[in-house]
Every structure is written in C-alpha cells, then in structure tokens.
Amino acid sequence: MAEPLTVTTAPHRLLILGITACPTGIAHTYMAAEKLAAAAAELGYDMKVETHGSVGVEGTFNQADIDRADAVVIAADTRIDPSRFAGKRIVSVGVADGIHRPVALIREALAAEPSAAADGSDGSDGSGGETRASNAGKTDFGGTLYRALMNGVSYMIPFVVVGGLLIAISLSLGGEATPKGLVIPEGSFWLTINQIGVLGFTLMVPILSGFIAYAIADRPGLAPGMICGWIATTGSFYHSESGAGFIGGIVTGFLVGFVALGIKKIPVHRYIKPIMPILVIPVLTTVIVGGAFVLALGQPISWVFSTMSMFLTGLQGGSAIVLGLILGAMVAFDMGGPVNKTAFLFGSALIATGNPAPMGMVAAAIAVPPLGMGLATLIRGRYFSKPEREAGIAALFMGFFGITEGAIPLAAAKPLQVIPANMIGGAVAGGIAALFAVTDSVPHGGPIVAVFGAVSGVPMYFAALLIGAVVTALVSLLLLGMSARRAERHTPQVAGSAPAVVDPTPTNDSPVPASALASTSLADAPTPAPKTVLDYIDEDTIVLDAAETDRDAMIRSLVGRMGATGRVTDAGVVVQAALTRERVGTTAVGDGIAIPHAKSDGVSGPILAFARSRHGVDWSSPDGTPATLIFLIAVPEAAAGTEHLKVLAQLSRALMKPAFRATLQAAATPADVLAALAAQVGPKQSTPVAP
C-alpha cells in the first residue's frame, strides 16, 4: 500500500485529512490530491490525502490520523462512507472543486460545524458537517438515472446468478416431468436446493430496487427501496395474480430514491435531525411509495393482465402464427415480469383444457433471451463490460433450463438494445413453433423440457429455439454496434501509421522493423522494474500545434495517432468509449489541461497520446479556459488496477505543476515532450523486445 501523501510544516500542528475520488479513478483523483496537499502547505497545515482510484485505496488513514484530525475534506464524485469521521468537521464536494478551490475547501472544513453523526443524521447527504453540491449533482438528469440503475444492477447480478444456477441444477438432477409440470419430489434434497435458488430470485428485485434508491438518497433510501421492491413483485398487495417483476422494481427504486431525497431536503429542527435518516425518512418514504403502488399502480397492472388475456384468447384458431409471434414477444419483453407471466399463465392454463400448442410457443420463446444474449457476449465481447460478459455465461446455462431471468442483468444495463432484440427473437421462436404445431404438455420451457420428453415435434422445437436465439444475438449486436461503427467511420487515419488492427507480436515468418519493436515494447514486455509514463507514449503518439478546434475531432485524431503503435484493435470503439466518458462529465480540469480517457477492449494494451493545441479546444473546462495540453489515455477493460494506473497518477500530479506545463508549452519537438516527462517521472523502464 502506498504511503499517505503528507505535507508537514512545523511548528503548526493542525491536521487536515483529504479524500479524493472520481468516477474512473484515473486522473482527477490524483490531481485533486496534489492540489489539496499543496494548498495545505501554503496555509501552513499538516495534511494527509487518501486517494480512491482505479488502483485501489492508497494512503489509508489509521485511527491515530482520524483521532488527531482537525477537519476532513472529501472531494469525490463517487460515494464515500463518512462513518469513520463521526464528530469531525467535514466538507464534502465534487472532485473538480478539490482541483480548483483547494485553499477555500480547507478553510470551509475548518469553519464547519462538527458532524453530529456520520450517517446523514444531520439531514445532509451523509457526509456530516457542511456539504456542497458535487459535480455529480451538476450532471444531466439522464446521467443520474443511469448511474442509479447501474448501481442497482451491479448488486442484483449475484442474486440472479446464484438463484438461477441453483434452480437449474436442482431441475436438472432432481426434476421429473409430470402432467403438472417439471416437479422435484417432496422430501428430496434437490427440492431444498431449488427452494434456496427460488429465494435468490425472490430477493433479486427488492435488491435492485433498494440499491437504485440507495444511489439516489443514500442509506435512508435503502430499506424503503427493498420493501417497496418486494411489494412490486407481490401481486397480492394490489389484487393481481402476477407481480410487476424487475420493471416494477426499477419503478419503485426510482420513486423511493427521489421521494427520500426530497424529504431529506426539508429543513427541520436540530433536535429532529438525528432521527431523520433512521426513522422519519424511511417510514415516510415507505408509506408514500408503498401506498401509491398498492392503491394507484397495482390496479392498472391487473387491468392490463385481464385485457391481454382476453386478447390472446381471441387469437386462437386461424391466427395461430400471429398468436405465436405475440406470445413469443411477450415472454421475451420483461423476462419474468408481468407481461412474461401473463403469456406464461395463458399457455399453462390451456394445457389443462387439452390444448398444449400455446405452451409450445411459450416454451420455445422462454429460453431465447438468455441464450441469445449469452451468445452475443461470446460473439462480440468488447460491446459488454466484464461483469456483463460473466452474466452472459451464466445466462447461457440458465437458458438451457428455461430460466428467462438470466438475461435480466444485460437487459437492465442496456434496455434500448437488449429488450427489442429479445422481443424479435422471442417472436421468431414463437412463430416457428406455431407454424410447425409444436406442443408442450409441461408448464415450463427451454431445452430441458424436450430432454424430459414433454415436447412434441422436438426437431422443430429446437430449430425454433436456436433460430430465435441467433436472431436475438444478431439484432442486439447490430443495435449495440451502430454508434461504434459511426464513430469508426469518422476516425481519421494518420499518414504513415500502421493499420488500426495489427498483431504486434513478432514471429519468425514476419520480421518486425525496429520502430515497431520499440512501440511494441512500450507496455507488453515483462519487466520487474516499475513502469513510467514513457512506457506508454512515444514520438508517434505526440502531435504539437494540432489544428483541431473541436473536442470530438481532437479525440479521433489522437486515437488515429495511437494506431501507429499496433495496440489499437478497434479505433471506433476506443473513440466511442472516450466520447461516452465525456458525456458523463468533462475531462477538462482547468489551467488549459484536458485528460480524456477510454476504458475499452478496442486497445490491446495501455497507451497514451499527447496533443498541444495551436488555438485551444473548447472542452467545457470548469474555469472556462480552452484546452491546449491534451493527454488521451486508453486502457483495456481488464487492465484496471494494474501498474500503468499508478503511472498515470504520477502524470496527473505532474500536470498540476506550472513549471511542467510551461515546459510542455515551450517544447519544439516530440523529443522535447518526452524529455520533459522523463524529468518528472524518470526514464523508460521497459525491457526491449528481441528481434
């Protein structure tokens, strides 16, 4: 663990603790740390800074530091737990304020009232003491919704995986096909395993709802979010045969979050503040949102159920193919939610009347979302994050056993692309099953029911299921890839650079020129020595007096420069990742500096490019200045937490020094830039690659 960043000036003994964190933990985190430490030295105080970056938490405070501290400055755009600083003077702001207002923040922290508690009992956001709006609060409303949804999904995924796999295993090893469905005998060990899996699924939606609310309102929203999420999935609360599924959990999560946040902002007497987050806010929020769901939202759901059931019943007979298309799309729409369950109950009910054909349509479509999306993650993994790819593997396994919910993590993360693809694939599967009169005498779906002999027309059943899964995979990849392909078409190629897709590994059959060997060695060669910035940048990725005046054009130009190293495997994906990061919040930090960054599998290794702008680029900088010094960082998805991030932290700190910036501005050649970097961070440490 790194030593805390410490500035000590005798004889003053005031100690300020600082915490810095940005959403990606790459640049702003360390810039804010450097600025706060310099400000403390200027004021004559001791200071220790704890950084929460992509490499992990560095400079962790011990209890002696906390006991001695006179004030705490939290400059973070991610959630920081302030409970260990109970009773301390605290100011909590965005990471950009830590960069641009460090002296003012230290003074504000020393002037703040000591926090009454560290759990938000002061009625604030949980930081204690004085709080100020962070950059996260200044972002667009859509970004707030997205981050809250992703928070809920990240906590939900383990419940989906554990519950689904246990159910699948129990059905596979202990299930028996009966007229009443796929049943595990009473008293069987596998029934216990199945019940544990069902419990995982039961908790899935309340967890989703609770942590969406938590992301918006902090801990006061957690309990109401889980309680209301449970209400959403329990139809008996509002006289419905089926609950609202994961869509209902998303609705309750957002409602709880914003209601709790609104109540938190109501000014109350200081004697009431301590009980606000543990009593008043949770109780009022639960009553308001839970009551609204039971009294107002539940009845429309019941009406939708009955209306859809009547409509489906009228589509039998000559409209069998149309019925199959509709049932398949319904099953795939919300993956275990109310629409899915309406179609499932419709098919199940007709089995008892001697008409197992609709259940055959439903059974074919049930496995399409998890199988299709699992297949998509295997075909084009770079479109998905690492947790999503892991969820895709689990979805393939769950799809075999007819567990539609296996696709929920992917649908919740990318609803506009995944849900339409699921519906199209499900409709295709249901339509094919209807066309060839496939029947299913068991109220269950997926390949497993064919294994147990409950399906007629087995070859066409498997054909319907597989074709539907392939359609879902291809449509989802088409939708996910459209924006990336647009960006790639606009990415300029740098004259004389290598193609965007290059295998940098030398072989006996294809000699590599010396220049390529030097580029290849930048990050890929194993060496025990620590890396420096020079291991990720060379003269080919440096451009002085760049003519671009548009932010997006500058990013595309720098990605084009990176192509010369052979470590860019998909330039369009890298550009799109960098632009997506800019939409979350500008990467300009003031003083004419911008550090755009992209975490993408479009690069095979960490890489750094630099541009000095001739006229300056409008980068929406917090201080209003155009960006003239621009470092673009690109790293693979799997590279988070490795040595290169520590190196980039060094670069971020170096850029806070006026002398270093002046040297970059005065550089006449790319070699001068490399020399300036070497003076700050040391020489290149990579071991050359042998020809």
Side-chain angles (χ1 to χ4, degrees), residues 544-545 612 663-673:
L544 299 180
D545 299 324
R612 187 179 65 198
T663 303
L664 294 179
Q665 292 286 9
T669 65
D672 293 339
V673 174

Side-chain angles (χ1 to χ4, degrees), residues 14-17 36 39-40 43 45 47 70-75 88-94 96-115 127-134 138:
L14 285 179
L15 174 64
I16 312 298
L17 300 183
L36 287 171
L43 294 171
Y45 303 146
M47 184 156 201
D70 296 280
V72 180
V73 175
I74 300 176
K88 297 294 180 180
R89 303 174 187 274
I90 302 176
V91 61
S92 180
V93 296
D97 283 344
I99 296 172
H100 302 295
R101 311 175 46 248
V103 172
L105 292 182
I106 293 174
R107 288 173 174 161
E108 290 171 11
L110 289 170
E113 291 293 327
S115 60
S127 301
E130 178 185 350
T131 58
R132 302 176 61 94
S134 71
K138 298 176 185 176

Side-chain angles (χ1 to χ4, degrees), residues 205-206 208-210 212-213 221 224-233 244-258 285 289-290 293 297:
V205 172
L208 170 67
S209 177
I212 289 175
M226 291 186 176
I227 293 170
C228 293
W230 189 285
I231 292 173
T233 61
F246 88 99
I247 294 178
I250 292 174
V251 171
T252 57
F254 284 121
L255 286 177
V256 166
F258 288 114
T285 303
V289 178
F293 207 90
L297 301 180

